[in-house]
Amino acid sequence: MSSPDTAQPRAADAAGPAPPLGPGPAASGGRLVWRPRGTDAVQTTASLAALVLMILVFSVLDAQFRSWDNVVAVVDAAAVLAVVTVGLTFVLLLGAIDLSVEGVIGACALTVALLVANSRTGLDLGVLGVAATVALGAAFGLLSGVLSTRLRIPSFLTTLGVYAIGLGVATILFSGERPIVEDPWLGDWASSRFLGFTIVSWVAAGAILVGWLIQRYTRVGRYAYAIGGAEDIARLSGVPVARYKTAAFAVAGAFYGLGAVMATSQLGSGVVQAGSGLNFSAIAAAVIGGTLLVGGRGGVLQSMIGVLVLTVLQNGLILAGVSPYAQQAVQGVIVVVAVAAATWPVRHRLGVVK
Amino acid sequence: MSTDTAPEVARPSEAPRQPDGSSRVRRELVRFMPLIILAVLLVLLSLRNPDLLTQRSLTTMADSAAPLMVLAVGITVVILCGGIDLSIGALASFASVLTALWVPSMSGAVVVPVVLVCALAGVVQGWIHIAARVPSFIVTLGGMSLWTGLALAFSGASTVAVTDIAALRWAFTRIGGTVPSALVIALGVVVVLGAVMRFTPFGRWVASVGHAEPAARLAGLPVSMVKIAAFGVSGACAGLAGVLLVARTFSGAPTLGESLLLPAVAAVIVGGTAITGGHGGLFRTVVGALIVVLLRTGLSLIGVDAGFEPIFYGVLIIIAVSVTIDRSKVAVLK
Amino acid sequence: MSDPVLSVEGLTKRYPGVTALDGMSFEVRPHEVVGLIGENGAGKSTLLKSLVGLVTPDAGTIRVRGEAVRLRGVAHAGSVGIGMVFQEQSLVPNLTVAENILLGAERSAVRGGIYRWRAMKTLAQEQLDKIGSRIDPGARTDTLTFAQRQMVEVAKVLTIEERITGEPVVLLDEPTSVLERDEIATLFAQIERLRRRASVVFVSHRLDEVLEVSDRVYVLRNGQVVAEVDPSAVDATDLHHLLIGRESGGSHYHDEAQRECDGAPVRLRVENLSTAGCTKVSFEVRAGEVVGVAGVQGSGREDVCRALFGAIRSSGGRVTLDDQPFRLGSPRSAVRSGVGYVPSERRTDGIIPPMSVAENLSMAHVGEVCSGPVLQVKRERGLVDHWVRRLGIKTPSPDTAIGTLSGGNQQKVVLARWMIDDDLRLLILDHPTRGLDVGAKSDVYALIRDLAAAGCAVLLLSDTLEEMIALSHRVVVMKDGEVVTTVETPKGAKPDPVVILEEMV
Amino acid sequence: ADDSGTSSASGDGGSCSPEDITLIGQVRNQTNPYEAAWLAGGDEFAESVGLEQQHLTYDGDSQRQQEQIRQALAGSGMECAVLNVLPNGDSDTAPIVAAADEAGAFLVTQWNKPADLNPWDGYDRWVSHITYDGEESGYLIAKALIEQMGGSGGIIALQGILDTSAAQDRFAGLQRALSEHPEVELLDEQTAGFDRAEALNVTRTLLTAHGEHVGGVWAANDDMALGAVQALEAAGITGVGVVGIDAVPEAIAAIEAGTMTATVSSDGPWQGAIGLAMGYCAATGELDVADVANDDRAFFAEQFLIDQTNAAEFAEPELNMDDFECGSLFDRATGPIG
Ligand SMILES: Nc1ncnc2c1ncn2[C@@H]1O[C@H](COP(=O)(O)OP(=O)(O)OP(=O)(O)O)[C@@H](O)[C@H]1O
Ligand SMILES: Nc1ncnc2c1ncn2[C@@H]1O[C@H](COP(=O)(O)OP(=O)(O)OP(=O)(O)O)[C@@H](O)[C@H]1O
Ligand SMILES: [Mg+2]
Ligand SMILES: [Mg+2]
């Protein structure tokens, strides 16, 4: 070899093995600062810091906030949002977005209310009804996924369409009369408690665990990262991208279905608007937690931090006696300030931020 | 280093590669697809309800489309930069409240301060996004709450009626008895902004930032300024949309424009602008806005049953976008 | 001679305005390393891509072990035993090394749809062991260096060995252009090892490398094979001749074109510059002088350049440009003070692929083609045409998307971007010839010398020491973030690279 | 858009033959029981006169409501159209009135209207504006709640969407009741946007904040009241009174079951039918709008407090078609708005 390449310290034992290299700054040379390197990690740390700060401030401001009862209240209030956000996380990991949440939840809420013992139909399917509802949610997700991948159009619009379709299905199922849930088992989800927390909260905890396992140990989860990280490369490597994208949407839908069951048990009847506001909150929670919209970053657990940030903030503002007229403005400012403050010291090391 | 690595090849553009002649026809067809789909939709809907094609009905539709168009055109600039602005609906509401409050003292000139205030609001959001490196999604999410909160505070949480509506007559009248002035204003915005994008470097800068921000920055483009300006434009458009809304509803209210956010983004996408930034344009958004308005209002008028209306809407909007989108240019993955 | 494993007949691929492959025919025999060389745009990559099903040829046949195949994609090509190493961009950045290596072919690491992380790491480790790499399979890919990622790429392609029964064909598209010397040696050792079980197609612009590893070399020009040579019978100069069809005259360093600049004023003075990766760096560059910065990976030389351009933050130091204090702010302010920068990662940092050649060319000094705020499209067209002609940029039209040009032509556009500024005072070149063919390289060398002759100061980081020595008046050597010495490299008295090499390590 | 009430149609009232009349009912959505019942009532009336009601729903989206109305009125023959509209908010009424006036359609609006915009200001086809006295409703249920609490204790209030007059009036009613009962304390007031799920969450938080001090929950509508009932049930708290407004079937069932204390009837089916009936009578000429007293052109409709004593009567709301004879349209008017 006659042209010495940029020289190397170990030119002598060139053919020998390179020293072991783990991740870390030393290995990251050669890249410019605004590459999205670890942006999600910073975001997660930032929101974790913001969460801790918020908890501290509210604890000082209000004794009620520190009470065990309030902890339970926060957890109960976070349950449905958490489950929905777990589902949404899979879609965000793909780099896609899902706007169908409220429609799917509406349709599923009516479905579960009509399938278990209720005031309108003679059915009493119990667990089966719940399972069928989760399956319906998955089917809606499947629809979003199939439409996005087969027609090759942005998920923003397919899911907007599926939202409308879900809403339509919910309206048809509703047909003017709200089915009141009379199934004591489902009713118990919201009212009976185990170790202080409602069953709904435990279901949520289980769902988060399942979500994390899916993310960590299944193809759907791992490929969601691959697709979100670099879809074209995943395709080049022989990953059946369309299939796993669709699967991720379906998984998300199943979680929305479960969320609808939980909400229905809390509300006591089949409500078309059971999911109102959830879509936006779930996206916000995920992004705040570090599951960024660019895809492949963050994950279920990170998103949960975002869920807690939002829930604690809402709870804390009420307890701190902030006027309902001002709450909205205060909440928006706090989210931005908290995230900005927490990222501030490291802002120059962040990648391209969109 | 090889410059044509895998990702380049894997672009969907490779798939339908065809000899020159027919591919040019296809490309042109794709370019005009949004217009074609608009015409097709109009014809289909008017088959069910012939009244839809009357001049009165069309001008009415144009009226409805104008504020949406202005909003959508504004957010197009932000989306082209690769960002998102969730605050436009709330900002339009805030603008409507300001307009209603200021008309008594300022009459028709109210549009100037309102647009300026909203542009400033956009600039502030853009600046926070740049300076603190907070994702635009989060900044504008916060902005959304803040502007709504301020609108609630300024209006005393109620509707502010405009008694002297003649002051805003210019924004809601028929020029020559037929042409809706709101549409003319909206198109004026599009033309002016379009000219700026086309005849000054701004348009290229926006596209460069959207396509490849690192490269744009290293070429010495004023990336931060471009992004802040984009948010400013988006804010200004939201302000103008707020004024148009007041002219139409004779009052300002803290939730007046909220519901226009999703349709505005939908209009951008239906027009064929990539949600990931870079590719797209304002004129596409104009057609997108018309399609969205047609679907939003047209469907309820052809008398479909409850429940089926949203289903039709969902199906049609999916069909519309699957036909209009230019798959060779837009990174359709997201 | 045994039957070829892979043969190609009359392969043709046309793009609008270019014929990338023009009735190309070639073959690969068992256990053979075939070298492919050719100018930028000769069709090498297109050929390789059509062999893994990424490009659908317009005409021609591809035969694998005698059987004609229509390849549908990488996965399909893998199943018939053809695998390709792409550049570093073909790894998923947010996944671990192990996942990347096994992506899409996890085999026993995924049982019943469930990931078994331990098996995953073991399997990945097996692949890494094949090339003697000790990269941690659990590391996230975006924390690796260029070279490490390249190694992971190679490890990844070797997984096809396990997937097929016959002998695979491994296609390597410029695998060495971003590798350091010992890594190249490792790769070559691996190619030798591979030869026992597979055939290899190897593309490189470094002719000596090609001669070193190949059993047979095809020379490509304009989408056709123009020569098939036996490496043992030729040397790099012959190849060079074959490639560009003209004599490469002059001394080894072609340094006769270099101009003296002794009396010139100091253009750039750097004092005690510190960043995250370098400390208290001081040096100066005169107007018309080319100063090379040498150093191994981690020496901090890239940091210095980027800090000077404002692309990364500096934590201290004083810089003057023409004796005026020069604030290290942003690339924008640097550009406005007459500084230019050619980044090493051209595809992501240098060009905006979907935008036109004209737009890419005029973007940094768009003021040149504006009257007030208004773009003058005619004037821009004139300017672009001028530079396209002057630098011999091969493009169907100024409106062509720059992403479809060959690397050398892209790089010329990036250089032209800075050259249109008459007052360019300092140009920072970060590996400007990466991935360029010999012809394009000498074009770029000539451009750099022209620039210096016109009085521009040039700061140069380079792929090879020889290149740097040839172009520079002086070489600043860095080690561990500090300047260790400065080596004069005047015309006619160029030092041996070893002199600098010793200081670097 | 005319800025004041000069109708472009001839001012001589209706001369439409019944079969030319188009009946249009517009509500927010058909996905809540109250508005679904409204449309059903409208359908029943339409059927009684041999016509069909066109349903329009706008999903709580003001812009869409405007667009729909305008577009619906852009057709031909709109001089014989009758609209029974629930404006999304106060701000939406003016443009709806203007659009109807321009098209010459007969219009009845309900619930939301700015105070300074009135049918008698020259609108000869805006037959009437009907609403319930929100202040009175809020007051009635507050009294019922306080009575149930035994005249003392703490109350938490769930407000509706803050910038609607319904929310503000009802809350004013609560405050009036509170001023009469100084020993009852308003512990907290929060908005839950008329939404059941939101009410559930807000109540949950308020219950931890105020614990056993909470003796009653005052909600600005039944949906929120039902959400509060669920929150109480989940928290295992009993004996806290909950009141709402609207008399949706589920609330009436809850009152019968004892989990809710009281509600106030807003008679959805009647509202859906009466608006169409007024317009119909005006269009056919059986009702001369000019003859209608101002007190009847913007009036509070009669409302009833429903508690355990009379819940059974309201369980199955039925329309009495006699209410919609042209002569008895204003029988439920209890007085002018103001
Ligand atoms: N997707 C594409 N669209 C249009 N033209 C293309 C495309 N890909 C390649 N080309 C053209 O085909 C020709 C051959 O390109 P190819 O990438 O095969 O060259 P190469 O020999 O690999 O060059 P290099 O040494 O620079 O990598 C070039 O002129 C190039 O511009
Ligand atoms: N943004 C950053 N943050 C922290 N450390 C960094 C950053 N950028 C570079 N470094 C570190 O600074 C040192 C210098 O890296 P650099 O890439 O400049 O080396 P180099 O000499 O240019 O290498 P090469 O031989 O590949 O050209 C490395 O140790 C690198 O890890
Ligand atoms: Mg380096
Ligand atoms: Mg190549």
Side-chain angles (χ1 to χ4, degrees):
Chain A
M1 198 155 63
S2 64
S3 82
D5 189 50
T6 314
Q8 276 298 305
R10 296 171 312 282
D13 56 17
L21 263 160
S28 60
R31 306 229 93 195
L32 282 168
V33 278
W34 45 74
R35 278 305 145 52
R37 171 181 9 146
T39 314
D40 50 340
V42 172
Q43 181 77 62
T44 301
T45 326
S47 44
L48 198 58
L51 177 64
V52 172
L53 194 76
M54 246 157 26
I55 292 178
L56 285 178
V57 170
F58 284 130
S59 302
V60 171
L61 283 181
D62 191 284
Q64 284 297 337
F65 183 83
R66 305 190 289 264
S67 70
W68 174 249
D69 277 356
N70 194 49
V71 172
V72 172
V74 168
V75 171
D76 283 353
V80 175
L81 179 61
V83 171
V84 170
T85 310
V86 169
L88 197 93
T89 297
F90 286 96
V91 177
L92 295 187
L93 281 178
L94 296 174
I97 196 153
D98 196 340
L99 299 180
S100 71
V101 172
E102 291 172 20
V104 174
I105 289 190
C108 289
L110 262 297
T111 306
V112 74
L114 290 171
L115 290 183
V116 300
N118 68 88
S119 62
R120 253 182 55 194
T121 59
L123 295 173
D124 181 8
L125 299 184
V127 191
L128 263 180
V130 170
T133 305
V134 174
L136 178 70
F140 272 111
L142 203 66
L143 180 64
S144 297
V146 166
L147 288 173
S148 310
T149 53
R150 295 292 154 219
L151 298 178
R152 298 202 296 145
I153 50 180
S155 53
F156 187 98
L157 260 160
T158 40
T159 55
L160 198 61
V162 170
Y163 156 77
I165 294 171
L167 195 69
V169 170
T171 309
I172 292 167
L173 290 176
F174 167 72
S175 67
E177 192 192 336
R178 231 173 232 174
I180 300 174
V181 174
E182 286 162 358
D183 186 325
W185 173 71
L186 189 59
D188 269 1
W189 280 33
S191 47
S192 32
R193 286 166 188 279
F194 175 67
L195 299 179
F197 295 98
T198 56
I199 307 294
V200 166
S201 299
W202 289 107
V203 171
I208 295 169
L209 179 68
V210 168
W212 181 79
L213 290 175
I214 294 177
Q215 169 197 309
R216 178 89 186 131
Y217 288 104
T218 70
R219 281 222 166 93
V220 182
R222 296 321 298 172
Y223 284 176
Y225 275 94
I227 294 168
E231 174 168 343
D232 32 23
I233 295 168
R235 187 174 288 124
L236 276 184
S237 307
V239 171
V241 169
R243 197 189 309 158
Y244 282 96
K245 253 188 172 178
T246 311
F249 272 100
V251 168
F255 280 99
Y256 308 155
L258 182 62
V261 173
M262 292 160 62
T264 304
S265 124
Q266 288 183 336
L267 294 173
S269 61
V271 181
V272 178
Q273 289 89 355
S276 75
L278 272 182
N279 207 149
F280 217 70
S281 306
I283 297 176
V287 173
I288 290 171
T291 304
L292 306 182
L293 296 176
V294 293
R297 326 240 145 209
V300 167
L301 299 183
Q302 285 92 326
S303 298
M304 291 307 107
I305 296 175
V307 169
L308 284 181
V309 167
L310 286 188
T311 319
V312 165
L313 191 56
Q314 249 156 24
N315 175 278
L317 286 181
I318 292 179
L319 291 188
V322 176
S323 139
Y325 292 87
Q327 265 175 31
Q328 213 172 11
V330 173
Q331 197 172 329
V333 172
I334 289 185
V335 166
V336 174
V337 169
V339 172
T343 9
W344 192 260
V346 292
R347 66 191 189 284
H348 293 293
R349 286 205 269 118
L350 287 182
V352 171
V353 176
K354 291 223 163 163
Chain B
M1 119 180 180
S2 158
T3 51
D4 31 27
T5 43
E8 168 70 5
V9 223
R11 275 211 330 229
S13 60
E14 289 283 328
R17 194 168 289 284
Q18 280 175 358
D20 283 13
S22 85
S23 85
R24 169 159 316 150
V25 173
R26 269 180 74 119
R27 229 177 307 142
E28 291 299 305
L29 204 63
V30 168
R31 231 152 68 93
F32 290 103
M33 222 12 139
L35 269 178
I36 295 171
I37 197 87
L38 178 67
V40 169
L41 266 179
L42 210 54
V43 170
L44 281 183
L45 289 178
S46 62
L47 284 183
R48 279 291 304 253
N49 183 351
D51 286 342
L52 217 62
L53 269 186
T54 61
Q55 178 240 337
R56 196 153 137 209
S57 176
L58 290 177
T59 47
T60 306
M61 191 140 58
D63 272 333
S64 312
L68 182 69
M69 219 182 257
V70 174
L71 274 180
V73 160
I75 198 181
T76 303
V77 183
V78 174
I79 290 179
L80 282 175
C81 279
I84 185 84
D85 188 348
L86 300 178
S87 71
I88 50 169
L91 206 47
S93 307
F94 182 52
S96 80
V97 170
L98 290 186
T99 310
L101 289 174
W102 290 347
V103 159
S105 56
M106 269 181 270
S107 183
V110 70
V111 63
V112 177
V114 167
V115 168
L116 285 182
V117 166
C118 290
L120 185 69
V123 165
V124 169
Q125 294 183 139
W127 179 79
I128 294 175
H129 164 54
I130 296 293
R133 311 269 170 105
V134 178
S136 56
F137 183 91
I138 295 183
V139 176
T140 55
L141 180 73
M144 182 163 88
S145 303
L146 180 61
W147 311 131
T148 306
L150 286 182
L152 276 171
F154 277 46
S155 65
S158 61
T159 299
V160 186
V162 177
T163 38
D164 176 24
I165 197 64
L168 292 176
R169 191 65 166 276
W170 55 269
F172 188 58
T173 179
R174 300 266 183 275
I175 298 172
T178 49
V179 185
S181 62
L183 184 71
V184 173
I185 294 167
L187 290 178
V189 170
V190 175
V191 167
V192 169
L193 208 54
V196 170
M197 300 277 281
R198 196 185 174 94
F199 297 116
T200 74
F202 184 66
R204 291 175 176 198
W205 289 345
V206 166
S208 308
V209 171
H211 280 305
E213 191 175 324
R217 202 180 283 271
L218 282 182
L221 302 193
V223 173
S224 302
M225 294 310 290
V226 168
K227 281 178 137 185
I228 292 176
F231 282 94
V233 167
S234 168
C237 285
L240 181 60
V243 177
L244 294 183
L245 287 177
V246 175
R248 205 175 71 175
T249 57
F250 317 139
S251 59
T255 47
L256 196 60
E258 222 168 55
S259 57
L260 286 180
L261 170 63
L262 280 188
V265 182
V268 175
I269 298 177
V270 170
T273 293
I275 190 83
T276 45
H279 173 77
L282 303 181
F283 294 95
R284 298 176 145 271
T285 298
V286 169
V287 183
L290 291 174
I291 293 177
V292 169
V293 165
L294 188 58
L295 284 181
R296 264 161 68 88
T297 54
L299 275 180
S300 39
L301 297 175
I302 60 171
V304 284
D305 273 350
F308 289 99
E309 186 192 321
I311 294 180
F312 274 122
Y313 175 78
V315 170
L316 281 177
I317 200 150
I318 289 172
I319 293 177
V321 80
S322 66
V323 178
T324 57
I325 204 160
D326 180 353
R327 293 188 179 72
S328 72
K329 297 261 178 52
V330 178
V332 281
L333 356 152
K334 300 286 171 174
Chain C
M1 263 278 146
S2 50
D3 288 340
V5 232
L6 175 69
S7 66
V8 165
E9 277 156 43
L11 211 59
T12 301
K13 177 71 193 175
R14 285 182 212 94
Y15 287 123
V18 239
T19 303
L21 297 178
D22 188 6
M24 166 101 59
S25 298
F26 91 124
E27 59 183 41
V28 181
R29 299 179 198 124
H31 311 293
E32 186 183 41
V33 178
V34 173
L36 284 185
I37 60 173
E39 287 179 277
N40 292 126
K44 305 177 294 291
S45 299
T46 309
L47 172 65
L48 297 199
K49 281 181 208 155
S50 53
L51 293 179
V52 288
L54 281 179
V55 165
T56 315
D58 299 329
T61 42
I62 299 170
R63 286 176 202 283
V64 180
R65 285 174 219 96
E67 241 173 85
V69 287
R70 288 185 74 84
L71 297 165
R72 290 186 304 268
V74 175
H76 181 215
S79 70
V80 302
I82 306 176
M84 178 160 168
V85 174
F86 303 98
Q87 293 285 322
E88 69 27 268
Q89 279 136 318
S90 63
L91 294 177
V92 183
N94 56 331
L95 296 188
T96 61
V97 168
E99 281 178 277
N100 262 302
I101 290 177
L102 300 176
L103 190 63
E106 291 85 0
R107 292 177 294 144
S108 61
V110 177
R111 277 262 171 81
I114 305 294
Y115 270 60
R116 297 158 67 228
W117 282 97
R118 194 151 324 139
M120 187 109 198
K121 285 191 182 150
T122 319
L123 283 180
Q125 191 63 58
E126 275 171 26
Q127 301 302 327
L128 288 167
D129 286 345
K130 284 183 185 171
I131 52 167
S133 166
R134 278 222 231 137
I135 297 168
D136 174 11
R140 244 176 87 138
T141 313
D142 54 5
T143 62
L144 303 184
T145 62
F146 241 38
Q148 288 173 322
R149 274 179 270 157
Q150 181 73 65
M151 287 317 209
V152 175
E153 282 275 353
V154 176
K156 178 176 175 173
V157 81
L158 293 178
T159 56
I160 62 168
E161 278 189 341
E162 276 102 55
R163 264 191 280 168
I164 61 154
T165 47
E167 281 148 5
V169 180
V170 176
L171 314 176
L172 305 168
D173 193 3
E174 297 189 51
T176 56
S177 63
V178 295
L179 292 192
E180 307 286 354
R181 207 162 77 136
D182 63 339
E183 290 158 335
I184 290 175
T186 315
L187 178 69
F188 284 2
Q190 183 55 31
I191 290 175
E192 283 306 315
R193 196 201 69 89
L194 259 185
R195 187 204 295 276
R196 278 175 251 139
R197 296 180 52 184
S199 313
V200 177
V201 177
F202 178 84
V203 175
S204 174
H205 288 296
R206 300 184 186 170
L207 305 180
D208 38 7
E209 275 175 17
V210 178
L211 290 176
E212 184 185 325
V213 291
S214 309
D215 300 319
R216 220 146 42 82
V217 176
Y218 286 101
V219 182
L220 269 54
R221 199 185 303 151
N222 297 332
Q224 285 175 325
V225 173
V226 291
E228 185 187 331
V229 293
D230 176 3
S232 56
V234 296
D235 65 9
T237 323
D238 301 329
L239 278 189
H240 193 178
H241 180 69
L242 274 172
L243 257 184
I244 57 171
R246 65 186 134 93
E247 206 69 49
S248 67
S251 85
H252 188 59
Y253 285 121
H254 323 289
D255 61 345
E256 61 287 343
Q258 187 168 330
R259 286 248 211 109
E260 304 298 335
C261 60
D262 287 344
V266 172
R267 172 59 54 81
L268 173 77
R269 180 174 285 122
V270 181
E271 284 165 23
N272 297 324
L273 178 70
S274 299
T275 71
C278 67
T279 37
K280 306 227 163 177
V281 170
S282 303
F283 62 90
E284 47 192 49
V285 187
R286 292 169 189 281
E289 191 179 32
V290 180
V291 171
V293 186
V296 297
Q297 180 133 48
S299 62
R301 59 184 187 146
E302 290 183 355
D303 266 36
V304 172
C305 297
R306 286 168 190 168
L308 284 176
F309 192 61
I312 62 170
R313 281 166 64 83
S314 51
S315 50
R318 218 176 84 85
V319 179
T320 60
L321 196 63
D322 286 330
D323 292 324
Q324 300 293 310
F326 176 56
R327 210 177 64 82
L328 302 179
S330 65
R332 171 116 186 116
S333 61
V335 169
R336 294 188 134 188
S337 327
V339 179
Y341 178 64
V342 175
S344 57
E345 288 187 43
R346 180 164 56 238
R347 176 124 220 138
T348 53
D349 297 343
I351 60 168
I352 297 178
M355 294 182 70
S356 72
V357 168
E359 285 167 320
N360 271 281
L361 199 151
S362 66
M363 66 193 284
H365 292 285
V366 80
E368 305 272 325
V369 293
C370 281
S371 308
V374 181
L375 274 174
Q376 299 295 323
V377 180
K378 260 206 194 120
R379 200 187 319 156
E380 176 178 49
R381 178 52 66 101
L383 185 82
V384 171
D385 281 343
H386 168 78
W387 285 98
V388 163
R389 246 180 293 115
R390 180 159 161 210
L391 304 190
I393 297 169
K394 279 188 213 135
T395 171
S397 105
D399 299 323
T400 309
I402 194 172
T404 63
L405 299 192
S406 76
N409 288 306
Q410 291 176 357
Q411 191 71 331
K412 285 181 189 171
V413 174
V414 176
L415 281 165
R417 175 189 295 169
W418 302 114
M419 294 170 73
I420 58 176
D421 180 15
D422 297 329
D423 310 320
L424 185 66
R425 297 201 275 180
L426 170 68
L427 183 61
I428 301 168
L429 300 167
D430 190 353
H431 298 91
T433 58
R434 208 169 247 183
L436 300 196
D437 67 37
V438 282
K441 265 185 192 154
S442 23
D443 288 349
V444 170
Y445 295 161
L447 289 176
I448 294 172
R449 290 202 165 111
D450 285 355
L451 265 172
C456 179
V458 177
L459 203 57
L460 174 72
L461 305 197
S462 180
D463 273 326
T464 66
L465 274 178
E466 282 186 333
E467 178 180 291
M468 187 183 299
I469 293 169
L471 289 169
S472 307
H473 295 90
R474 216 148 35 88
V475 173
V476 174
V477 184
M478 287 186 64
K479 185 180 168 187
D480 298 335
E482 286 171 39
V483 174
V484 285
T485 185
T486 301
V487 179
E488 295 293 327
T489 57
K491 179 177 175 177
K494 298 286 183 189
D496 194 290
V498 178
V499 179
I500 293 174
L501 196 62
E502 276 165 358
E503 299 288 346
M504 281 161 55
V505 296
Chain D
D2 289 23
D3 42 340
S4 70
T6 44
S7 173
S8 54
S10 57
D12 55 14
S15 52
C16 302
S17 58
E19 65 275 9
D20 288 342
I21 295 178
T22 319
L23 298 178
I24 301 175
Q26 190 190 39
V27 292
R28 293 200 179 90
N29 48 49
Q30 308 193 33
T31 57
N32 72 66
Y34 167 70
E35 279 162 278
W38 166 309
L39 286 180
D43 283 343
E44 206 170 318
F45 170 79
E47 203 180 325
S48 75
V49 294
L51 290 171
E52 250 186 74
Q53 178 190 219
Q54 188 185 346
H55 296 184
L56 293 180
T57 57
Y58 54 87
D59 219 7
D61 174 346
S62 297
Q63 299 314 316
R64 208 151 138 211
Q65 173 168 45
Q66 305 290 328
E67 286 157 17
Q68 277 178 356
I69 295 258
R70 264 175 231 286
Q71 213 68 58
L73 292 174
S76 54
M78 282 301 134
E79 307 79 47
C80 290
V82 171
L83 286 86
N84 181 25
V85 174
L86 193 170
N88 196 31
D90 288 1
S91 55
D92 300 300
T93 310
I96 291 169
V97 169
D101 190 55
E102 193 184 352
F106 293 90
L107 173 71
V108 173
T109 53
Q110 307 204 37
W111 283 119
N112 299 314
K113 172 182 82 63
D116 52 6
L117 178 71
N118 287 300
W120 55 82
D121 295 333
Y123 298 100
D124 49 18
R125 296 199 162 193
W126 180 11
V127 184
S128 188
H129 177 81
I130 307 170
T131 188
Y132 290 96
D133 185 349
E135 207 256 8
E136 183 70 14
S137 334
Y139 178 76
L140 284 176
I141 57 167
K143 289 293 262 192
L145 182 65
I146 292 168
E147 189 185 330
Q148 201 245 5
M149 290 161 59
S152 69
I155 286 182
I156 55 179
L158 299 177
Q159 291 222 54
I161 296 169
L162 291 175
D163 63 332
T164 61
S165 52
Q168 288 161 359
D169 293 347
R170 290 171 186 184
F171 190 64
L174 169 66
Q175 281 168 321
R176 172 150 69 96
L178 287 172
S179 66
E180 292 171 10
H181 293 271
E183 63 288 16
V184 176
E185 190 195 352
L186 181 61
L187 298 170
D188 215 325
E189 44 152 310
Q190 291 292 335
T191 175
F194 288 132
D195 184 82
R196 185 162 176 164
E198 211 176 321
L200 176 78
N201 276 335
V202 170
T203 311
R204 207 158 18 201
T205 306
L206 291 179
L207 285 178
T208 51
H210 304 290
E212 56 274 23
H213 300 297
V214 180
V217 179
W218 179 97
N221 77 347
D222 279 346
D223 243 11
M224 293 194 294
L226 289 165
V229 167
Q230 295 290 332
L232 288 166
E233 197 180 315
I237 298 173
T238 50
V240 171
V242 180
V243 292
I245 293 170
D246 277 351
V248 301
E250 221 181 323
I252 293 177
I255 292 173
E256 285 187 296
T259 49
M260 249 179 85
T261 308
T263 184
V264 161
S265 75
S266 318
D267 195 341
W270 176 79
Q271 285 181 287
I274 192 70
L276 295 182
M278 286 178 176
Y280 182 85
C281 291
T284 55
E286 286 170 78
L287 174 74
D288 189 348
V289 180
D291 290 347
V292 182
N294 281 1
D295 282 4
D296 283 344
R297 292 191 66 184
F299 65 89
F300 286 136
E302 195 180 358
Q303 56 186 338
F304 317 92
L305 183 75
I306 303 170
D307 55 20
Q308 210 148 15
T309 58
N310 62 352
E313 295 167 35
F314 290 89
E316 292 291 325
E318 285 220 349
L319 281 188
N320 176 0
M321 282 303 158
D322 296 341
D323 288 349
F324 310 115
E325 296 294 331
C326 292
S328 47
L329 292 172
F330 300 98
D331 288 0
R332 285 209 193 176
T334 61
I337 297 174

